[in-house]
């Protein structure tokens, strides 16, 4: 039995229409011009006190002040970008932008924060201010970092910041909060291997980059399985091996690509350092030239204890204590809300939306955000605000 207020329940038809509009018009990171105009237009229509566009290009920030005076503040963040996927849902509101799709439910995230904006701008039943953060480019573009670089927290200082992601592996009417680590640090690696091509029947006349690459792929796993404390968490996945094209030619070069996922800063540094050492050693051992290219992705997403407990408590007020996991195991995925949690205390929660049992999972061409979750998410946002800003 979920506790959703009549005022929030009344927003459902309108929110569903917004969600379907956003779903039909997905835009990739930093291209969210239509979404930005839609969000800013709605916020102005609701009478939100300040509406600022242009941070990180396509970002939108709204500020709502409560009817009671107060200097306290809270930030709520939603991501707006879609993915380069061709939609296969067959829904009447399916993507009208070829090769673009809201397959991660960010259309739902944007809609729920708009719903909260609508409710809070009417009720204003709090003391202080709410900063609504609609960020671009969560999917690899580090839109959160860009907004911070553009002065988000200087211009709109907040005491705390919260984020949310829909989670199809958990049933509707449930939430999961993490104590500490939520999502991993993401790093990309590319290893370029240069040997000397030759006739495959006469390998001794060249230097084979394929054999060197193959042995390196296996050896790299040692860094995780033998050198990393099993109670720590790390993943190293080589995800691409490219070399050659013929049956009887040893190619000149080979390229490996992969990702490294970690939680602790020292583990992250050590794993990448050990990859570099192995690359250098293998180059020497196999007589090839090897070069490691490393690109730092998102930092780990780490919840702050006090805000994680508070966010879980608000969730329990909506769906009931038994439906809130307060000590969820982290995921090795990445999330750029991490940049905000590095600057401001806060927490990031998973909201159950169901659907995974039918194969509808995030980043899948058949994914569609569950509209029944809209009032649940709005209730969490408004609950955080009304409780955090209950007294000036
Ligand atoms: Ni996402």
């Amino acid at each position: 039995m979920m506790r959703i207020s009549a005022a929030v329940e009344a927003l459902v038809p309108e929110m569903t229409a917004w969600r379907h509009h956003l779903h039909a018009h997905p835009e990739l990171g930093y291209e969210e011009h239509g979404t930005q105009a839609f969000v800013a237009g709605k916020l102005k229509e609701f009478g939100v006190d300040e509406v600022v566009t242009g941070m990180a290009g396509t970002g939108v920030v709204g500020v709502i002040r409560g009817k009671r005076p107060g200097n306290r503040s809270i930030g709520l963040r939603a991501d707006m970008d879609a993915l380069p996927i061709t939609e296969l849902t067959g829904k009447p509101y399916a993507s009208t932008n070829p090769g673009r799709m809201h397959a991660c439910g960010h259309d739902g995230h944007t809609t729920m924060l708009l719903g909260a904006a609508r409710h809070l701008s009417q009720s204003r039943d709090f003391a202080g201010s709410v900063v609504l953060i609609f960020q671009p480019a969560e999917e690899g573009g580090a839109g959160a970092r860009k907004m911070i670089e553009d002065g988000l927290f200087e211009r709109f200082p907040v005491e705390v910041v919260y984020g949310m992601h829909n989670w199809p592996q958990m049933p509707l009417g449930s939430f999961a909060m993490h104590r500490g680590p939520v999502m991993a640090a993401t790093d990309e690696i590319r290893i370029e291997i240069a040997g000397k091509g030759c006739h495959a029947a006469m390998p001794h006349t060249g230097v084979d980059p394929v054999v060197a690459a193959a042995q390196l792929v296996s050896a790299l796993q040692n860094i995780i399985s033998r050198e990393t404390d099993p109670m720590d968490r790390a993943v190293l996945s080589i995800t691409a091996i490219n070399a050659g094209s013929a049956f009887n030619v040893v190619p000149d070069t080979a390229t490996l690509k992969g990702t490294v996922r970690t939680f602790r800063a020292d583990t992250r540094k050590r794993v990448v350092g050990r990859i570099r050492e192995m690359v250098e050693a293998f180059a020497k051992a196999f007589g090839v030239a090897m070069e490691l290219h490393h690109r730092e992705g998102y930092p780990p997403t780490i919840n702050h204890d006090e805000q994680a407990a508070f966010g879980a408590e608000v969730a329990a007020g909506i769906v009931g204590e038994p439906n809130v996991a307060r000590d969820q195991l982290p995921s090795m995925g990445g999330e750029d809300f991490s940049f905000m949690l590095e600057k401001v205390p806060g927490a990031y929660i998973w909201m159950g939306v169901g659907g995974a049992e039918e194969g509808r999972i995030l980043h899948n061409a058949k994914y569609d955000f569950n509209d029944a979750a809209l009032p649940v998410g709005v209730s969490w946002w408004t609950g955080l605000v009304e409780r955090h800003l209950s007294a000036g």
Side-chain angles (χ1 to χ4, degrees):
M1 183 60 200
M2 281 191 271
R3 264 165 289 176
I4 308 282
S5 76
V8 169
E9 200 61 62
L11 294 174
V12 169
E14 205 177 357
M15 284 198 292
T16 306
W18 303 339
R19 217 279 295 172
H20 293 183
H21 170 83
L22 292 169
H23 192 87
H25 301 91
E27 297 168 302
L28 296 182
Y30 298 119
E31 294 173 4
E32 304 95 334
H33 300 286
T35 308
Q36 180 185 48
F38 182 82
V39 167
K42 287 288 168 212
L43 295 180
K44 285 177 189 160
E45 194 186 305
F46 304 158
V48 164
D49 297 292
E50 272 181 73
V51 180
V52 174
T53 54
M55 277 193 170
T58 44
V60 185
V61 180
V63 180
I64 308 173
R65 283 183 272 275
K67 63 186 173 195
R68 300 196 301 278
N71 295 321
R72 307 204 61 186
S73 55
I74 181 171
L76 312 177
R77 170 274 205 177
D79 41 14
M80 304 190 290
D81 56 325
L83 287 159
I85 292 176
T86 297
E87 179 160 352
L88 296 175
T89 62
K91 293 281 168 74
Y93 50 85
S95 171
T96 55
N97 295 344
R100 306 277 185 270
M101 181 193 172
H102 268 298
C104 200
H106 297 188
D107 49 342
H109 298 170
T110 303
T111 300
M112 291 186 289
L113 194 54
L114 278 177
R118 168 100 200 219
H119 177 78
L120 294 167
S121 59
Q122 281 172 349
S123 75
R124 295 187 187 260
D125 192 15
F126 53 91
S129 33
V130 181
V131 176
L132 310 155
I133 305 163
F134 294 89
Q135 73 148 83
E138 192 288 318
E139 300 285 358
R145 182 175 62 196
K146 190 76 183 77
M147 286 194 87
I148 293 166
E149 285 168 358
D150 286 359
L152 174 67
F153 293 131
E154 280 85 44
R155 208 164 154 192
F156 305 99
V158 289
E159 294 171 337
V160 289
V161 68
Y162 289 89
M164 174 182 356
H165 209 291
N166 71 106
W167 214 255
Q169 280 86 356
M170 291 164 23
L172 178 67
S174 69
F175 282 92
M177 187 59 98
H178 302 75
R179 254 187 259 275
V182 185
M183 316 271 271
T186 62
D187 289 278
E188 284 174 16
I189 54 165
R190 195 179 86 240
I191 300 165
E192 299 289 353
I193 304 168
K196 184 170 161 253
C198 61
H199 195 299
M202 290 158 254
H204 60 291
T205 63
V207 180
D208 189 347
V210 173
V211 170
Q215 307 236 15
L216 180 61
V217 169
S218 302
L220 288 173
Q221 288 308 318
N222 206 63
I223 300 171
I224 306 301
S225 70
R226 304 289 87 188
E227 299 176 9
T228 301
D229 182 342
M231 301 315 277
D232 189 5
R233 305 175 181 96
V235 171
L236 194 173
S237 291
I238 296 299
T239 53
I241 304 180
N242 292 300
S245 56
F247 289 104
N248 55 359
V249 180
V250 170
D252 280 316
T253 61
T255 304
L256 303 177
K257 288 181 190 171
T259 184
V260 177
R261 305 293 170 111
T262 51
F263 285 98
R264 286 166 32 182
D266 57 335
T267 306
R268 185 181 196 179
K269 202 168 156 235
R270 181 180 53 77
V271 170
V272 174
R274 285 290 292 139
I275 294 171
R276 192 173 301 284
E277 283 176 11
M278 277 204 185
V279 162
E280 282 162 11
F282 270 67
K284 209 167 178 189
F286 286 84
V288 292
M290 281 199 194
E291 210 178 326
L292 171 68
H293 302 265
H294 166 234
R295 197 180 74 91
E296 268 199 11
Y298 296 163
T301 308
I302 313 282
N303 279 344
H304 298 241
D305 291 346
E306 195 183 323
Q307 286 70 36
F310 179 75
E313 206 177 299
V314 170
I318 303 161
V319 298
E321 188 61 52
N323 299 311
V324 179
R326 284 172 181 258
D327 203 4
Q328 183 77 16
L329 276 178
S331 153
M332 299 310 285
E335 163 62 56
D336 85 342
F337 187 62
S338 49
F339 290 109
M340 295 196 183
L341 289 180
E342 283 186 335
K343 299 283 176 198
V344 179
Y348 180 84
I349 204 167
W350 291 349
M351 179 182 68
V353 291
E357 58 286 1
E358 280 107 51
R360 291 194 302 277
I361 50 169
L362 300 177
H363 292 213
N364 183 282
K366 291 192 173 164
Y367 192 66
D368 185 29
F369 182 87
N370 182 355
D371 289 319
L374 293 171
V376 185
V378 174
S379 300
W380 191 65
W381 287 136
T382 57
L384 289 173
V385 170
E386 284 157 9
R387 289 181 64 172
H388 183 75
L389 302 179
S390 60

